[in-house]
Each structure stands twice: as C-alpha cells, then as structure tokens.
Amino acid sequence: GAGVSQSPSNKVTEKGKDVELRCDPISGHTALYWYRQSLGQGLEFLIYFQGNSAPDKSGLPSDRFSAERTGGSVSTLTIQRTQQEDSAVYLCASRVDRGRGELFFGEGSRLTVL
Amino acid sequence: KNEVEQSPQNLTAQEGEFITINCSYSVGISALHWLQQHPGGGIVSLFMLSSGKKKHGRLIATINIQEKHSSLHITASHPRDSAVYICAVSGSRLTFGEGTQLTVNP
C-alpha cells in the first residue's frame, strides 16, 4: 500500500481478554516501530524491529505485551489479559531503515479496555 | 532528565505571529525529526534533519549538532497550524519529546 496501515482502527475489549493489533508498513521499509499514546500524553516507545536483527523490546511495559514481525513485513502487537491501563492509541511507524528516511506513521489503533 | 526536551509545552499565538519551538537532546543521534499531530489525527513528518537548515513553505527547521539543539519556526502563523509539534531523535532507537501544543487564534 501507499502508507502504513493499521488495524483495527478501534477496539473495545473487556478486561482480561487478549487483543491483537496489526501493522502493515510501507513496502521495503526495514525499520518498524510500535509506540503508544495515552490520552493527553506523549509517545511511549514499545518495540522496534530492524530487518532480521533481534528486536529492541526494552519498551514493552510487561510480559503481557509481545510483538512479532513476520517475513520482515507485517507486524502484530499482542496484549494478553488486558488491563484498563492498557487503554491507549497504539501507533506504528516505519522508515527505510534505522539510519535513513522519513518516518511514516499509521493512523493508530485505539484500544479501550472496559 | 528526559533525553529529549521540548519547550514550551504550550504556546498560544495570534494569527500572523512568528513562532519558535525548541528541542534539546542529550544523546548521540543520526537524525532529528519534527512531527505534527492534529487533534484526533495521525502523525505526519515535517522534517528530518542531520545538519543545517530546511525550509518547507512557512516552516523552517534548524539544527545545531554541537549544541544538541533544534528549532522549528513557523512564519506568518495561521489557525490551521494549531496542532501538537513533536521532536524525535533517532540514534539506537527513536526517542520522542513530550510535544508542544500550539494554538493559533484568528
């Protein structure tokens, strides 16, 4: 596609359920980032993929969060046993690689945990 | 202390005013990005800088690598410029500032 695509755009779930958020980066972009933004807050780093290298998972807030990137393209962020504090907009961004290129952001997935 | 600090946090201006938003960082970087986020909207990249100065229309971005400082200027500001402006630096990872909420009143 022409841009970074994220799905779903909105997700409402009950506390304790698992959710999966998907990011489809721009074709050819090797760097992919996941961030989240809580209401009125700044961007919080979650995880970063660069090509075939081991991902930088240092921003994941707990072991309930995991992410994978299959075939160097699509990425899935999984949150297990969701909590109310997980409610946020989850943003994905990609760029050509770690050191090059503009950042392109998806529209985000708004997660609401009831 | 945050690795990326922006100032001011909030800025209100009258239409037509010249606006400056500042960004200071404390880590080694390969590039600095200025981003714009409209209310309820996505984030778009305005500039990517590794040195010097760039200009797009009424927007100008400068960076001083030695001083680890960048500025975003908006000339002849307009209400449609109202948004959150975010500074981000790319080194080993992307690190974001807290953002500057700009409101331009007609």
Side-chain angles (χ1 to χ4, degrees):
Chain A
V4 178
S5 177
Q6 290 189 246
S7 61
S9 55
N10 277 286
K11 176 72 176 179
V12 179
T13 190
E14 293 179 347
K15 178 181 171 181
K17 300 283 190 184
D18 297 353
V19 296
E20 283 190 353
L21 307 176
R22 175 187 167 108
C23 172
D24 199 344
I26 292 174
S27 178
H29 282 195
T30 63
L32 185 149
Y33 307 82
W34 280 101
Y35 288 83
R36 71 177 177 181
Q37 188 173 35
S38 301
L39 190 63
Q41 301 298 310
L43 288 157
E44 177 188 0
F45 168 74
L46 296 176
I47 188 168
Y48 160 54
F49 295 90
Q50 173 57 58
N52 295 321
S53 302
D56 177 352
K57 303 180 181 180
S58 58
L60 295 178
S62 78
D63 59 8
R64 296 186 296 105
F65 287 72
S66 63
E68 62 178 20
R69 189 178 184 191
T70 54
S73 181
V74 172
S75 178
T76 303
L77 176 69
T78 302
I79 310 172
Q80 296 178 308
R81 305 181 301 283
T82 51
Q83 303 294 313
Q84 288 184 331
E85 62 262 28
D86 300 334
S87 296
V89 176
Y90 288 80
L91 290 156
C92 175
S94 74
R95 64 192 299 213
V96 172
D97 66 33
R98 186 178 74 181
R100 294 188 298 137
E102 301 268 355
L103 282 166
F104 293 86
F105 283 81
E107 291 296 313
S109 292
R110 181 177 298 277
L111 174 66
T112 303
V113 182
L114 301 176
Chain B
K1 190 178 191 300
N2 292 334
E3 292 179 335
V4 180
E5 300 221 339
Q6 284 185 238
S7 63
Q9 287 186 318
N10 290 281
L11 181 56
T12 300
Q14 289 300 122
E15 184 173 357
E17 286 185 0
F18 181 84
I19 287 161
T20 296
I21 299 170
N22 295 299
C23 176
S24 296
Y25 54 92
S26 57
V27 294
I29 68 169
S30 58
L32 182 143
H33 306 259
W34 281 103
L35 310 168
Q36 181 191 56
Q37 184 175 32
H38 281 282
I43 298 174
V44 295
S45 175
L46 299 174
F47 294 102
M48 185 181 73
L49 293 165
S50 54
S51 65
K53 174 180 174 179
K54 287 189 176 180
K55 183 176 188 292
H56 289 156
R58 295 181 294 107
L59 301 180
I60 302 167
T62 64
I63 188 168
N64 184 317
I65 298 294
Q66 287 74 29
E67 295 186 4
K68 295 189 174 179
H69 181 269
S70 176
S71 293
L72 175 68
H73 306 285
I74 305 175
T75 62
S77 59
H78 190 276
R80 66 175 173 266
D81 297 326
S82 299
V84 175
Y85 292 84
I86 304 167
C87 170
V89 298
S90 53
S92 58
R93 66 162 77 162
L94 269 177
T95 307
F96 290 81
E98 292 295 312
T100 295
Q101 172 69 62
L102 172 65
T103 303
V104 181
N105 293 319

